[in-house]
DNA sequence: ATCGATATCTTTACACTGTATAGATATTTT
DNA sequence: AAAATATCTATACAGTGTAAAGATATCGAT
């Protein structure tokens, strides 16, 4: 588990962590494999025994970033219930906020997670829904169960909601929309889905 | 205008065009300044008299890509009226389709256009609306004029529509949603905006 | 416990990158 | 025509990803 000299012990996860850290700071385009290796006191070629190449390491870091987003979303949900604010609508809104906040607070991780590095062919058809997706659908189910969202709208609103939230997050992040656009969008979504009749 | 030897004549725009071409083929991350210069029969350092560095050239290429998207959208609008299909709703839908199609047909240009390279600070507050944005707002105005979209919804639907269409385009592009999601989204949008009551 | 096989890491090396500097050549200005 | 300037080349350097071969530690079987 530690590094007694020649062998590192757990270089693979150390490399992954190092990649995430450096991407977080300077962005995926500017991370150097040699720098990550240097941080760990390891030779430049050492990584190749654990990852086929630099891209593969960045891809792994990207999936770790997706997981961090999901963590953030679950944390936001738990915060909501601790604060005392209740109701599916509040939880739904908190979910959107945490998504946008993650994009703005961790721009480099967000770009990596939803960028070309993490495109997995046939990942759609496979029955491996990403955690973020699961969390969203669960929130929509809640809305239906509480009678706030008509069952009729349920199916198609999955795509609409995720697309809209993801879109506004990236457009704000890349300077195409002002930060206030996020709350405006949440208002629109709530209104259009008929969630604000209470 | 041509290249009589030492001086190229119009190297700046030639570099820009070369950058767009190469990004289109292999993606921004894999284009090399030297390769672009080589294509033009010019030394590796020549570019530095026209662009401060490689990033600046790629940024310029990115804005060219945004313009290509706007071209595509206008072309789609003109196609619609030639075909004979009329009505603001059809035009609105064609706009969304062309946006998604551009993302899927030119993934590398799309990523560059809406990526970190083209973030212009304070571009939001300035009165320099991008062409794509202008086209969208014009389409929404049409919908209002034809009585299809309530004036009350007009303002906030700008953000909602652009976010949703941009979001679904990127999520499909990066393998997070299946291609059919685009049409589903258009249906939802039309329905939620109350555009399908005819 | 020893010996061989294997996994892990280092060393060296190579082709390639962006770009700084200085010099050459063409164009423009006076 | 001469001087000033814009444009391009040549050379050079530090940094990159990674292939190849050698060193060292760990593991499995005897």
């Amino acid at each position: 588990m530690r590094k007694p000299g020649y062998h590192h012990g757990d270089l693979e996860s150390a490399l992954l962590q190092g990649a995430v850290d450096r991407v977080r700071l300077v962005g995926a385009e500017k991370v150097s494999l040699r720098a990550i290796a240097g941080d760990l006191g390891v030779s430049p070629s050492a990584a190749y025994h654990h990852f086929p190449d630099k891209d593969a390491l960045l891809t792994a870091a990207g999936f770790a970033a997706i997981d961090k987003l999901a963590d953030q979303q679950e944390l936001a949900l738990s915060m909501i219930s601790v604060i005392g604010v209740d109701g599916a609508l509040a939880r739904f809104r908190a979910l959107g906020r945490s998504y946008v906040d993650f994009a703005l607070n961790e721009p480099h991780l967000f770009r990596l997670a939803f960028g070309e590095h993490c495109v997995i062919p046939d990942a759609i058809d496979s029955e491996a829904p990403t955690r973020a997706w699961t969390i969203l659908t669960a929130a929509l189910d809640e809305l239906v169960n509480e009678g706030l969202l008509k069952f009729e709208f349920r199916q198609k609103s999955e795509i609409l909601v995720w697309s809209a939230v993801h879109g506004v997050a990236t457009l704000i992040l890349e300077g195409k929309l002002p930060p206030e656009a996020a709350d405006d969008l949440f208002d629109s979504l709530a209104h259009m889905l008929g969630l604000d009749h209470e």
Side-chain angles (χ1 to χ4, degrees), chain A:
Chain A
M1 213 55 165
R2 63 192 172 289
K3 40 180 301 193
Y6 209 93
H7 277 41
H8 180 268
D10 195 12
L11 186 56
E12 178 166 333
S13 57
L15 284 168
L16 181 57
Q17 183 62 45
V20 171
D21 290 346
R22 278 192 112 79
V23 168
R24 214 176 85 91
L25 290 179
V26 300
E29 296 185 356
K30 299 191 174 175
V31 311
S32 119
L33 201 58
R34 296 173 104 106
I36 297 174
D39 285 348
L40 301 174
V42 127
S43 104
S45 317
Y48 288 84
H49 294 265
H50 303 275
F51 297 92
D53 56 7
K54 181 191 177 184
D55 269 3
L57 176 56
L58 285 179
T59 300
F63 283 107
I66 298 182
D67 241 55
K68 283 190 88 167
L69 166 58
D71 289 344
Q72 211 77 8
Q73 303 227 80
E74 284 179 350
L75 192 139
L77 284 184
S78 66
M79 292 284 269
I80 278 285
S81 49
V82 163
I83 298 280
V85 182
D86 211 18
L89 184 55
R91 297 164 66 86
F92 179 73
R93 208 178 177 99
L95 229 46
R97 260 258 72 89
S98 72
Y99 197 101
V100 174
D101 285 346
F102 182 82
L104 302 184
N105 292 330
E106 301 290 359
H108 298 302
L109 291 183
F110 185 82
R111 290 198 187 97
L112 178 61
F114 291 99
E116 137 179 61
H117 267 292
C118 294
V119 181
I120 294 297
D122 310 329
I124 298 166
D125 305 327
S126 85
E127 298 124 15
T130 201
R131 275 177 64 210
W133 178 262
T134 308
I135 293 172
L136 168 66
T137 54
L140 288 175
D141 283 338
E142 281 185 58
L143 289 174
V144 172
N145 288 339
E146 296 200 10
L148 290 173
L149 177 65
K150 291 180 197 157
F151 180 77
E152 165 197 7
F153 291 169
R154 164 56 227 271
Q155 184 81 344
K156 295 209 164 180
S157 47
E158 279 189 16
I159 293 173
L160 172 66
V161 168
W162 193 16
S163 295
V165 173
H166 182 81
V168 84
T170 69
L171 289 175
I172 294 172
L173 177 58
E174 311 305 354
K176 263 73 179 182
L177 282 177
E180 315 88 62
D183 281 312
D184 289 348
L185 177 90
F186 299 151
D187 289 342
S188 300
L189 271 182
H191 186 84
M192 304 260 166
L193 291 173
L195 299 179
D196 53 357
H197 302 318
E198 46 175 328

